[in-house]
Amino acid sequence: MSNPTANWEKVGDRFYRKVKLYDAIFDQELELENHIIAGAPYGGALLGQADSPHQRGEPVLEAELETEAKNRSGIKDQYEAWAGQKMNGCLSLPRTVRSEATTIFKGAEEHKVKACRFWPTGFVAILSNNHLVAVTYHGDPRPKLLAVPPEDEVHSWAVIPPAHTLSRSVEVLLAIGQTIYVVDPSEAEDRVLPNGPFTQISVSPNGLYVTLYTEDGMVWVITSDFQQKIGEYESKAKTPPKDLQWCGNDAVLLVWEDEVHLIGPNGASLRYYFDGWVHLLPDVDGVRLITNEVCEFLQKVPDCTDDVFRLGSTSPASVLLDAVDQLEKQSPKADENIRLIRSNLPDAVGTCVQAAGQEFDVHWQKQLFKAASFGKSILDLYSSDDFVDMCEAIRILNAVRDYKIGLPISYDQYRRLGSERLIKRLINRHEYLLAIRLSEFLRLPANKIHVHWASQKVRNSAADEETICDTVVRKLD
């Protein structure tokens, strides 16, 4: 039995944990340092492409194409259009962005697309003349030219999605010269920041904060309206980081090949060291860390988990969990614990249920559910809806997290993605059996699963038409 706090590390007044998801995910001979690795959000598929002049071409690591985004220029793009819906879009030579064979920006032939930044429903492309073209919705691509910024060199750039801006229009942050320009459809405003140039920019998932990395190794964390400086950190590194990403909305990660710095509130920091090159794949509630040997998930320890498992915790949920342990030992202390928290028992049950959803370890999921079940059995009035819903969610999450499926989605990610889009991901991966079983479990129609299977059977089978027809009909009867 593992200690649930064994992988916790304290950063300032908060704890962060690094959860191992999978082992040996890549061939040892694959040189990850020579590849760009991108990941679909919500624990989705990885896409890798060689990042050397003689290797550039088709991606060599590719699992699912819910939305494909490729840039053969070797510039690191944020391929974050992967949002659970299928969009057959790509960036490819001759640098014309297309969706469903429709040219989105025709001017890209003259001024080449240098890079793109995506958010769940749209993206922005920067051209070689620094002009910015935005598409706010993939399903109805209507390219719009943003305000024209200066033509000087862009050191780094990032996007704040429309959902997180006051104007409800996309805003683009461009590091030009010593300052930052904020570009929207109406103007390109100089924020007159000192201490530039800024070689890395990253926006928090909630759009409220921005991280800037300077040439002299300083990290600034400021509000996205550039009105307040939240904190700073001196990396003392002589070389710039390979990547900078947010870990949820509370911390920032810097990576140098095999070394990762986690920067928490008020400049508190922590360092992780790995045996090989590390790639960061950010998500809404944490970051996946990818090496040749392992895939891990780094996140702030959820409040409910901290409440239950923190060393020395005397919270009602922690006492309830201990009561179950004492009950299994047939100790009278179990009854004593219950009397101690009797007035707070409903809250303790709720916290144990929520903490079970945040666990990746099946043993601790079971222990927390045992504690919640024990607690609610004592209560005269308690609605079991949350308990039942969480049990259902955990069964689904454990099924898709299995290494044979390879979807290491967290509970918070699952809530955002939704069960229907999760099933769609399984369909795209041709995991038809599991998709059907989940549909039956959730009482959802399975028509689309059968249609997708049949279409793939017809498209990929080498048999004659009559044999294929008989196979499909027999399967669907």
Side-chain angles (χ1 to χ4, degrees), residues 282-293:
D283 223 311
V284 293
D285 58 344
V287 173
R288 276 183 287 171
L289 307 173
I290 305 294
T291 69
N292 275 88
E293 292 79 20

Side-chain angles (χ1 to χ4, degrees), residues 118-227:
F118 292 87
W119 68 92
T121 62
F123 64 92
V124 173
I126 184 170
L127 308 184
S128 60
N129 60 354
N130 286 1
H131 286 200
L132 298 161
V133 182
V135 173
T136 55
Y137 180 55
H138 298 309
D140 184 21
R142 297 181 182 180
K144 184 175 183 179
L145 186 66
L146 303 184
V148 179
E151 294 187 1
D152 298 330
E153 178 188 358
V154 176
H155 303 291
S156 57
W157 67 297
V159 168
I160 303 179
H164 299 315
T165 65
L166 292 176
S167 64
R168 288 298 180 258
S169 298
V170 63
E171 294 182 357
V172 181
L173 311 182
L174 297 177
I176 298 177
Q178 302 294 311
T179 186
I180 299 289
Y181 283 84
V182 179
V183 184
D184 60 22
S186 59
E187 65 176 337
E189 181 183 359
D190 183 357
R191 288 299 186 169
V192 197
L193 291 184
N195 302 110
F198 302 101
T199 59
Q200 298 266 13
I201 303 177
S202 184
V203 179
S204 64
N206 60 12
L208 296 178
Y209 308 106
V210 175
T211 302
L212 306 171
Y213 188 88
T214 68
E215 278 192 336
D216 57 0
M218 292 296 297
V219 178
W220 286 15
V221 180
I222 60 177
T223 55
S224 57
D225 60 3
F226 293 83
Q227 297 300 310

Side-chain angles (χ1 to χ4, degrees), residues 406-473:
L407 266 170
I409 187 170
S410 70
Y411 175 67
D412 290 337
Q413 294 166 16
Y414 172 64
R415 289 178 59 194
R416 290 170 180 260
L417 183 65
S419 55
E420 292 188 10
R421 288 202 289 170
L422 179 61
I423 291 173
K424 187 174 181 180
R425 285 193 166 188
L426 295 173
I427 296 172
N428 290 340
R429 292 181 175 210
H430 299 179
E431 297 289 349
Y432 300 116
L433 179 59
L434 181 57
I436 290 172
R437 286 178 175 173
L438 291 188
S439 295
E440 292 173 348
F441 180 66
L442 295 168
R443 296 170 293 282
L444 296 173
N447 298 352
K448 292 182 179 179
I449 304 173
H450 294 113
V451 169
H452 194 282
W453 170 83
S455 64
Q456 291 298 314
K457 192 71 175 178
V458 171
R459 182 179 301 173
N460 299 322
S461 179
D464 59 82
E465 291 185 5
E466 185 175 346
T467 302
I468 297 173
C469 181
D470 290 342
T471 302
V472 171
V473 171

